[in-house]
């Protein structure tokens, strides 16, 4: 059974770089034809896909956030990490890491993904 666990970034202040790591157990992040993603949901807003990394390391970014994001993986630790620079209060959201057989970039609900973590609350505040 695949399990995903998001890291807790702790307090985040505006202009910082947010770093979130997803630790995966029960399956390899290099497994063929799977995609590993970060999505978020801000209060009162829809679920938003942010970025994905594929089984061979290819990355995909939401165009509106691409210049602020970096997604990379550590295959030795079976982890993938999202970095988001210059955060503002608008980045306050619950962030989820997910696994799916498809590059799923327009989710409506989190259960559209095959697997997802419990989510981690990120609050950007001064």
């Amino acid at each position: 059974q695949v399990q995903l666990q998001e890291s807790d970034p702790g307090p985040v202040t505006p202009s910082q770089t947010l770093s979130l790591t997803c630790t995966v157990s029960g399956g390899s992040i290099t497994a063929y034809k799977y995609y590993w993603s970060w999505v978020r949901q801000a209060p009162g807003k829809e679920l938003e896909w942010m970025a994905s990394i594929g089984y061979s390391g290819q990355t995909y970014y939401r165009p509106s956030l691409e210049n602020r994001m970096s997604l990379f993986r550590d295959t030795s630790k079976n982890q993938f990490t999202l970095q988001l620079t210059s955060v503002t209060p608008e980045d306050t959201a619950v962030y989820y890491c997910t696994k799916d057989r498809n590059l799923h970039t327009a989710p409506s609900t989190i259960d559209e993904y095959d697997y997802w973590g419990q989510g981690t609350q990120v609050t950007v505040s001064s």
Side-chain angles (χ1 to χ4, degrees):
Q1 180 74 7
V2 174
Q3 292 186 318
L4 298 92
Q5 178 66 59
E6 303 90 350
S7 60
D8 181 354
V12 181
T13 56
S15 81
Q16 278 189 323
T17 294
L18 172 67
S19 184
L20 294 172
T21 295
C22 184
T23 300
V24 179
S25 59
S28 172
I29 61 173
T30 62
Y32 182 66
K33 216 56 187 305
Y34 282 100
Y35 296 88
W36 306 85
S37 303
W38 285 97
V39 301
R40 67 181 181 181
Q41 188 158 29
K45 295 188 176 181
E46 296 181 345
L47 196 63
E48 179 181 62
W49 170 76
M50 300 182 70
S52 299
I53 187 163
Y55 51 95
S56 62
Q58 67 272 38
T59 53
Y60 309 85
Y61 295 101
R62 187 179 191 87
S64 61
L65 296 171
E66 185 170 7
N67 64 342
R68 296 175 53 207
M69 288 192 296
S70 179
L71 181 60
F72 54 91
R73 65 183 185 176
D74 185 336
T75 56
S76 68
K77 295 181 180 179
N78 217 34
Q79 297 175 330
F80 60 104
T81 297
L82 176 73
Q83 291 186 335
L84 181 66
T85 63
S86 304
V87 296
T88 73
E90 291 187 350
D91 294 309
T92 293
V94 178
Y95 287 71
Y96 300 90
C97 56
T98 73
K99 173 188 176 181
D100 202 89
R101 289 162 290 178
N102 300 298
L103 181 59
H104 196 22
T105 63
S108 296
T109 58
I110 195 68
D111 61 3
E112 292 177 17
Y113 291 95
D114 293 338
Y115 299 92
W116 59 94
Q118 64 183 16
T120 188
Q121 175 69 49
V122 174
T123 301
V124 182
S125 173
S126 56

